[in-house]
Structure formats: C-alpha cells, structure tokens
Amino acid sequence: MSANPAKIPPGLQHDGLEALSLLCQSGSMDWLPVAKAKLYTNAFVRQDGKLLLGYKKRGFGKGLYNGFGGKVDKGETPAEAAARELEGRLSGITAQLEHRATLLFMSPEITEAAHIEVYYAEKFEGTVTESEEMRPEWFAIPDTEARHKDVIQNPKQVDDASGLRFIPYDEMWEDDALWLPAFLSGHRFIGRADFGIDGHLQKSWFALAS
C-alpha cells in the first residue's frame, strides 16, 4: 500500500526523494500539536542473531529496554551524536553506524516533540559494559516473521539454540513492536507515535522508505 504524502503526520519530515509504503497505522483521534521538536538519536547493535538492548536504570524511560542514544548537542550532526552516545552509554564501544529511520514522538506531558534519528550497527569494537544509566543485555532475534509475531504476542520466550530471551517487547516502548521487526529486516522508514498521559500508545503511523 502506497503512503500518500498528504497523509504523513504533521511534524514528521520527509524529503520526498524516496517512495513510501504504509507499514501500519492506528488511532482515530487527532494528532497532538507540535510547535517545536528536540533532536535525539537512538542506535541498535546486532551481532550473530542477537540484539543488544539497554535497560534504563534512571531518567526518562526508566524500567524499559531500548537502544542506546540521547540528545544531539549544538554543532553536532545526528551521526556524530549517535556515535558519541553509543560510546558513552556502553563505556567505550565504537561502531559502524548506518542510518535507518526518522521517528517523531509526542505526549501531552512534554512541550517539545522528540525527533529521533535511528541507527543500526553490526560491526563494533570494544567490550560491552554497564554504565551508570544503562545495563546492556543481549537478546535473541526471531528468525522468521511468523516467529517474530509469536514473540510479540507471547512474551518472555527463550531461544532454545542460544539460551537467550527473545526481544522483550513487553518491557519496551509500546510502539517498538510496530517497527522494530521491519528495522531488523533491513528496511528504512519514517514514523510518528503519540502517547497518552498514562504512557500508552494513542496514535501511530509508520511507512517504509524505498
């Protein structure tokens, strides 16, 4: 299904150079107003069928697993910030990062939307160690689309081959289950998710770029 550019959610940027195809959408209410957005990065590291996630020990997103990222400082490009944040969150890790997604998140509790540039890496150097903010943990990646859907619907499963837990979607941001499988399959995309005061997903839109 093609994504009509006119239907791209407000605040979400797309240069129009790539065709978009709708991945999924939900919610019937209006999008939350976006006056300003703050730029962030997020990076996911994969190796040998495993995905490295960080358990947030403090601050925004405490108690949830996510990739590794943070704010883009003045004078930095998103790619530079992604590399810096990854190294800081994992105490010395450096990786070859590939840009794969642009996301926009909004909630009634914040005054500025979160504009997030998302990166992917399979090659990295250094030792994965815990930081003050994040506790890293490897998780098994489901090897088929059907298996991935089963893991999302039936969490806390363990991969027999590796002995690792599968990706803990029930302990991640609610929208992650909508786009992370496509992200890990090599797709690039854009998307927006609006959350309610209770932290639950209220409205979403994601489209693959090609």
Side-chain angles (χ1 to χ4, degrees), residues 7 9-10 24-32 104-106 174-175 178 191-196 200-206:
K7 298 296 184 180
C24 60
Q25 62 181 340
S26 67
S28 58
M29 68 289 293
D30 292 338
W31 292 104
L32 294 170
L104 190 77
F105 296 97
M106 191 59 189
E174 199 172 339
D175 66 290
L178 302 177
R192 176 172 172 173
D194 283 10
F195 292 83
H200 288 295
L201 187 64
Q202 299 294 309
K203 189 177 181 71
S204 66
W205 183 97
F206 296 94

Side-chain angles (χ1 to χ4, degrees), residues 1-76:
M1 183 187 302
S2 296
N4 184 343
K7 298 296 184 180
I8 294 175
L12 187 60
Q13 300 175 5
H14 175 58
D15 57 20
L17 298 178
E18 296 178 300
L20 297 176
S21 58
L22 187 65
L23 175 62
C24 60
Q25 62 181 340
S26 67
S28 58
M29 68 289 293
D30 292 338
W31 292 104
L32 294 170
V34 175
K36 293 194 302 182
K38 186 174 291 186
L39 189 57
Y40 296 86
T41 65
N42 200 4
F44 292 85
V45 177
R46 176 180 188 162
Q47 185 181 62
D48 301 327
K50 302 177 297 183
L51 182 67
L52 184 64
L53 297 174
Y55 179 83
K56 194 74 180 295
K57 298 191 292 184
R58 66 184 188 190
F60 188 68
K62 179 181 177 181
L64 297 176
Y65 285 96
N66 203 347
F68 302 87
K71 298 176 184 177
V72 178
D73 290 339
K74 185 177 181 180
E76 278 188 317

Side-chain angles (χ1 to χ4, degrees), residues 98-103 116-119 179 183 187-191:
E98 170 195 341
H99 181 259
R100 278 206 182 165
T102 298
L103 303 177
I116 306 174
E117 299 296 345
V118 188
Y119 293 83
W179 57 264
F183 177 89
H187 293 287
R188 290 177 295 107
F189 63 95
I190 63 172

